[in-house]
Amino acid sequence: MSSQARIAKVSNRLYWLVSAVLLAAPVGVIWAFGYAFAHPDFLLTTFPNLPPETQITPLKSGLVIALGAFTFLPLLMAFVHMRGLFGRYRRAEILTNPCAQHITRIGQWLMGAAGMALALPTLQGLALTFDNPPGARVLSISASSNTVAVFLIAGLLTVIGWALRDAARIADENAGFV
């Protein structure tokens, strides 16, 4: 099997997988909102270090889920561009400027998602404890190795997208000489 045929075959499968994720994600967010309002105490297991004075209400639970959903938007946008890239690859459009743009955008959106993931626990802690008495409010800042890895991979994808853009331009110029 040729390289182009293999790229098209795998990209076709990935195109449909990403499409399924894009369809399922809104359903998951809606379910999470419903669950958060129906069972606000689930946050006690998610945030085990909350001060005992913290009252978990449906409003706070919904706010925590909304913050999580908001930070999920850049990831969804990265998936939209992945779907576009795989759509082009499955049609054997490999070394083109639109493909380079998709790769660059995937990297940029993932970088945004990683940045928001760094801020999310801090914002959620503040949302859960804003009405606690002084001394019982939580302000925590943390970074996981996963978030740092996603940020670095996103940077790599962005640079690869820029390089592919230059390669596509050179390929177009070379095609004009033939």
Side-chain angles (χ1 to χ4, degrees):
M1 179 183 297
S2 74
S3 177
Q4 230 176 14
R6 187 174 48 246
I7 290 169
K9 181 180 177 183
V10 171
S11 293
N12 187 52
R13 291 180 181 149
L14 291 171
Y15 174 88
W16 289 109
L17 180 62
V18 171
S19 296
V21 168
L22 286 170
L23 286 173
V27 174
V29 169
I30 291 168
W31 176 85
F33 270 115
Y35 188 84
F37 280 108
H39 307 283
D41 288 341
F42 88 95
L43 292 173
L44 295 174
T45 57
T46 307
F47 296 92
N49 297 326
L50 289 174
E53 299 88 353
T54 305
Q55 303 245 341
I56 305 294
T57 65
L59 178 64
K60 286 182 179 180
S61 182
L63 183 57
V64 166
I65 296 298
L67 287 168
F70 181 70
T71 60
F72 191 60
L73 290 175
L75 190 57
L76 283 178
M77 289 305 300
F79 281 130
V80 166
H81 283 283
M82 283 180 203
R83 184 175 185 268
L85 179 67
F86 293 137
R88 291 183 183 283
Y89 282 176
R90 71 188 196 144
R91 294 187 306 267
E93 260 185 73
I94 309 295
L95 190 59
T96 65
N97 193 41
C99 289
Q101 288 175 337
H102 281 302
I103 293 170
T104 302
R105 295 290 183 252
I106 291 166
Q108 291 168 338
W109 282 112
L110 286 176
M111 231 183 265
M116 292 180 92
L118 285 172
L120 181 62
T122 302
L123 295 173
Q124 288 176 323
L126 288 171
L128 288 169
T129 61
F130 73 91
D131 61 348
N132 284 5
R137 295 182 184 130
V138 173
L139 176 63
S140 64
I141 300 171
S142 65
S144 73
S145 59
N146 289 343
T147 304
V148 173
V150 169
F151 189 82
L152 291 173
I153 291 167
L156 173 67
L157 284 171
T158 302
V159 172
I160 288 172
W162 292 337
L164 182 60
R165 183 181 58 203
D166 288 347
R169 183 184 45 77
I170 291 167
D172 284 345
E173 287 174 5
N174 288 342
F177 292 123
V178 176

